[in-house]
Amino acid sequence: MIYLDNAATTQIDKRVLDAMMPYLTTQYGNAGTLYKFGRSAGEAVKQARAQIAEFLNAKPEQILFTSGGSEANSLVFQGLKEYLKSIGKTHILVSAIEHDSVLKAAHSLIKDEFYIEYLPAHSDGKVFAQSVEDAITPKTGLVSVMYVNNETGAVNPIEEIGTICMKCGILFHTDCVQAAGCHPIDVEKIGCDFLSISSHKIHGPKGVGALFAKEKSMLASIIFGGAEQEFGLRGGTENVAGIVGFGMACEISTKSLHEDCIWVSTLKQRFYMALTDALKKNGCAEIVHTNGSSVLSPGKTLNLCLRGIDGQTLLLMLDGKSICISAGSACRSHEAEPSHVLIAMGLTPDEARSSIRISFSRMNTADEIVDAANIIASCIEILASGVEK
């Protein structure tokens, strides 16, 4: 198998699994208990919180563990609802290219008399900082713009947006799930109030994520339970093994970020060159068009429009050849609707359905990238010609 859907999830790092195993076997204590067996689990959670804080250049007490990026995003919107209403700030700005978990969390506030305004995306998939500034009103209480788009890999100017929000006294949230592991994340430089990340995008386990909250006092809990768990903001027994794995994944990424970024960016460029070279030989080069992020820009994600080719059909054809790619976000892979991200960028529904996403990780090799490119090119040729082979 050649796995090229690392924007959906990543292979767990062996070092991460090794760190987790004691807490799945012998060290299975509840981190909330007072005896030594439980306290050791609590210490492991504390260490992981510090590892994640270092990864984000934050303080450990600003890190809240969640079940993943989607819950972290929901906690921002639902958790801030009462605070924003109390200060009369019921206008919220979100970009039109956000992950579904942000768009739906924002939409859920309409019934509470919030006004949600969607910031447009440029044809390259980015949100301009000027668009944010132009849309701010005296009633604006929150802006949410992702760092890196999950479908195209387009990188937004979040430091500029953070500066604008600070200048205007507006809370700023950024979803950094896809940026983590490929781009530096520094909450001080970004100037954000809230930031979401997820473990399984950086070679950690699934089912655990985190929310950076600069000031936790603004948030209200959306999961009720123990008053001591996650500073009283998330009830439920801690997922100790998952949290430990997340912490280790962040520690590894902190140390190898520069090398990882160079490697995945190189793989992306090498794949594109191999694919287009193969398609030129087959006379199909004119079919391919890049959506959003430039092939030369840093990052792991490449989104391609293959004119006249159905993306889902190609995906299934490649599955039969043990190559894993995506036709869009994993959260929407079973929906018939075209990608809202690509539509927001100006693509037609047919163009959006003809698009595929290929995403790389540090665990991919150069040889398998070239092999995958050649196989994908041959499948495109078959579909383009309409000949079954």
Side-chain angles (χ1 to χ4, degrees):
M1 180 185 76
I2 301 178
Y3 184 77
L4 298 177
D5 197 17
N6 290 281
T9 196
T10 56
Q11 180 183 348
I12 193 167
D13 191 294
K14 185 181 183 302
R15 292 166 290 180
V16 170
L17 184 60
D18 289 344
M20 293 172 65
M21 285 307 294
Y23 301 96
L24 292 167
T25 53
T26 57
Q27 299 296 317
Y28 54 84
N30 187 319
T33 54
L34 296 177
Y35 42 78
K36 185 177 180 180
F37 191 50
R39 291 200 309 272
S40 66
E43 285 300 313
V45 170
K46 182 179 179 181
Q47 179 183 348
R49 203 184 303 275
Q51 289 168 315
I52 294 162
E54 182 180 0
F55 182 63
L56 302 176
N57 190 29
K59 299 173 183 176
E61 61 269 22
Q62 294 174 321
I63 304 301
L64 302 171
F65 289 115
T66 66
S67 63
S70 291
E71 186 192 331
N73 291 335
S74 287
L75 181 54
V76 172
F77 288 87
Q78 286 293 325
L80 285 174
K81 178 173 65 177
E82 295 305 321
Y83 171 76
L84 292 174
K85 286 175 70 175
S86 72
I87 60 173
K89 301 285 188 177
T90 54
H91 177 235
I92 294 177
L93 295 171
V94 298
S95 83
I97 58 166
E98 293 300 306
H99 187 269
D100 264 8
S101 61
V102 167
L103 294 177
K104 290 177 179 176
H107 188 265
S108 73
L109 297 182
I110 293 175
K111 66 181 184 300
D112 296 296
E113 300 182 340
F114 280 81
Y115 172 58
I116 312 301
E117 184 173 349
Y118 300 96
L119 298 162
H122 191 255
S123 59
D124 64 0
K126 298 178 183 179
V127 176
F128 292 159
Q130 189 62 50
S131 297
V132 176
E133 189 163 22
D134 291 344
I136 289 172
T137 76
K139 297 278 283 183
T140 306
L142 175 67
V143 171
S144 182
V145 178
M146 65 196 336
Y147 188 163
V148 176
N149 184 262
N150 54 300
E151 293 193 34
T152 67
V155 181
N156 287 314
I158 56 170
E159 289 186 22
E160 292 180 53
I161 294 170
T163 299
I164 290 167
C165 290
M166 281 193 289
K167 181 180 68 176
C168 297
I170 296 169
L171 297 175
F172 177 41
H173 164 250
T174 181
D175 178 342
C176 289
V177 167
Q178 293 293 339
C182 289
H183 299 267
I185 303 176
D186 185 327
V187 296
E188 292 295 327
K189 288 183 179 179
I190 295 171
C192 58
D193 298 281
F194 302 97
L195 182 152
S196 310
I197 55 171
S198 186
S199 166
H200 72 108
K201 307 294 188 180
I202 57 168
H203 304 287
K206 297 175 181 65
V208 60
L211 176 68
F212 159 79
K214 189 175 182 180
E215 294 291 341
K216 299 188 297 291
S217 60
M218 298 177 185
L219 293 170
S221 177
I222 62 172
I223 297 180
F224 301 99
E228 298 302 317
Q229 292 159 337
E230 293 310 297
F231 310 100
L233 287 170
R234 187 182 191 269
T237 300
E238 293 87 349
N239 173 10
V240 177
I243 288 169
V244 167
F246 190 12
M248 178 57 71
C250 284
E251 180 177 309
I252 292 168
S253 188
T254 299
K255 295 175 180 176
S256 66
L257 180 64
H258 180 68
E259 292 79 8
D260 290 348
C261 185
I262 292 173
W263 181 243
V264 297
S265 300
T266 300
L267 289 178
K268 179 174 68 172
Q269 293 166 27
R270 185 171 297 184
F271 171 87
Y272 184 77
M273 290 173 62
L275 178 68
T276 52
D277 284 348
L279 289 173
K280 285 175 185 175
K281 294 175 185 176
N282 298 335
C284 296
E286 73 284 353
I287 289 175
V288 181
H289 172 73
T290 305
N291 296 327
S293 180
S294 166
V295 176
L296 298 177
S297 63
K300 65 184 179 184
T301 302
L302 180 64
N303 195 297
L304 301 174
C305 178
L306 309 171
R307 292 188 180 89
I309 305 294
D310 181 73
Q312 292 283 8
T313 302
L314 177 60
L315 185 154
L316 295 173
M317 193 173 182
L318 291 169
D319 183 42
K321 297 179 181 295
S322 298
I323 294 179
C324 301
I325 65 166
S326 169
S329 169
C331 298
R332 302 190 66 168
S333 60
H334 297 285
E335 296 181 16
E337 292 298 311
S339 161
H340 71 277
V341 172
L342 300 182
I343 296 298
M345 291 165 54
L347 274 71
T348 67
D350 283 345
E351 287 172 333
R353 291 190 182 95
S354 294
S355 295
I356 59 172
R357 180 183 70 179
I358 306 102
S359 46
F360 310 89
S361 86
R362 66 171 181 255
M363 294 189 180
N364 287 124
T365 68
D367 287 343
E368 67 180 0
I369 293 304
V370 174
D371 289 344
N374 289 324
I375 294 170
I376 293 172
S378 68
C379 290
I380 291 172
E381 181 187 11
I382 293 169
L383 293 174
S385 65
V387 177
E388 195 74 24
K389 291 186 180 179

